[in-house]
Amino acid sequence: MKFFLSIASIAFCAVFYLSLAACSNDKSLTGIEIGNPSIADSDTTARDTAAKDTAVKDTTSKDTADKKQPALPLVADFSIDYSEVNPKALAKEANKDEPILLDSFSLILTEVRSFSSYYYTTLIVDPVVGLQLWPYEDAPNESLAISFTKGSLIEDPFKDIDLNEEGYLKEMGVGFKPDETMAIFGRILIDKKYHPFVYSLSNFQTLMLRYHYSQIDTANGKANLSVVFRVKQFTDGIDFSGAEVGEDSVIHIDSKYNSELWNAMNKRFVTSFQPLRYDYTTVAGDAHFEYVADIWKGIAAKKGENTIINGNFSSPFTTDWILMNQFGGHSDTTVLLEKGSKERIMQVNVTDGGKHSYSVQLIQENVALIAGVQYQCVFTIWSDVEGQITARIGSYNTYETIGFQEHVQVQTTGQSVGITFTPEVSDPFARFELNLGGSERTFWIKEVKVLRIN
């Protein structure tokens, strides 16, 4: 496909995949001597595949095998919804007695971006800025008029987009600007009578909505991004009974008329699309960036829940767990069944430790952490050779430590490791790492948890 490239460099690596599945929420205590368990035959479904690494920039000793994912084309639909304020509720058409009815609401679609981990592609992409998927480089000024009230479906203009070609998707971003009307037109029910209104969009210059990968339907071989404007999120709790009606019998809601209503609706407008997060620029040039609280609530773990996906390695393999070989490191993985308990154990066989501890890494990137909330990372690990590893939680796109970085002394007898930490920033895609390189040895790992404890 055709796309714009931005400015970071990427190295190759080997990648191992495990599945999307809920994990045990067991609050295991740390420091318990486990004992080196007897292990049964290996699970023959476990296989490593080749892919590419973005973690550390180096030009030597890279694995360069590519993995081609099945094509995943993009379609997008745009609509309004009158259901109760619930992002998971099925979309509902307006009833005859809805307190607010939207008659005309359009925006100009200016760009579509993906935010991904680039483990196996040959792209050079700044992961913070993301990859511009549309408009294509041969028509950089193309835009599309989107009607939310009529329900726009965009498919053909995106026909050259293959999301899997661009890495492991974390977020989709859609950029808008107001159309020439600069307004939403509708009717407000006051004293059992509908009054026409015009809500001005003049406060907004540009708008970027970023949707979490779990909000995107990938069934039937396509990725369907639904951008839904939720009317009740926009207007519930706002009192329109005292609104001033203009001489033209229309309620004008803008900076001049009904300005208090306008300011209240401005605060709700962007969040009513219910993305994971957003940024927008006002007409005055002020930039705003924030997460949408109720979407965050559905993604982040509750107290006592494990934020690690498939931490007991019990499910089929997809993209949650990643094994990276880089800078001279070489390893492979197998899932083993422990005799008696039948618990599943991740075996990482490091045949060449490489130059650094991070020459071999077992990683999971979709660990949702909330700033100021206390967590405990717990895992059990042992090796055939005693020695040190590094456990870490950082950012997948900046690689900075945002949770903790601890050196762990690994014994030949399994022991539960526990690390308590409080992140200073919120991150829906924090990166849990076990850095296992540096020497030739074999590791066994089980029951990985990052538990929210307050």
Side-chain angles (χ1 to χ4, degrees), residues 234-256:
F234 185 44
T235 60
D236 266 12
I238 296 180
D239 183 8
F240 294 95
S241 62
E244 178 184 353
V245 180
E247 294 181 357
D248 55 359
S249 300
V250 175
I251 299 174
H252 295 271
I253 305 173
D254 53 39
S255 60
K256 183 177 180 180

Side-chain angles (χ1 to χ4, degrees), residues 52-69:
K52 180 169 146 180
D53 171 39
T54 63
V56 185
K57 313 304 183 283
D58 194 358
T59 58
T60 61
S61 300
K62 302 174 204 168
D63 293 316
T64 56
D66 288 326
K67 179 179 185 303
K68 179 62 177 175
Q69 296 285 82

Side-chain angles (χ1 to χ4, degrees), residues 283-353:
V283 69
D286 298 326
H288 297 262
F289 172 89
E290 191 54 82
Y291 289 95
V292 177
D294 49 348
I295 302 299
W296 237 124
K297 184 178 179 181
I299 292 171
K302 299 178 178 62
K303 182 178 178 180
E305 285 186 342
N306 190 3
T307 66
I308 291 285
I309 300 170
N310 196 30
N312 55 7
F313 309 112
S314 64
S315 300
F317 295 1
T318 56
T319 58
D320 293 317
W321 285 105
I322 301 164
L323 181 74
M324 293 203 302
N325 293 325
Q326 56 188 348
F327 316 136
H330 293 282
S331 64
D332 56 58
T333 54
T334 308
V335 171
L336 308 174
L337 300 178
E338 184 179 358
K339 287 182 178 178
S341 69
K342 297 299 183 182
E343 290 184 341
R344 292 161 73 94
I345 300 168
M346 170 63 71
Q347 176 179 293
V348 181
N349 183 35
V350 181
T351 54
D352 190 332

Side-chain angles (χ1 to χ4, degrees), residues 31-42:
I32 301 173
E33 193 77 8
I34 303 294
N36 198 356
S38 176
I39 295 174
D41 293 336
S42 64

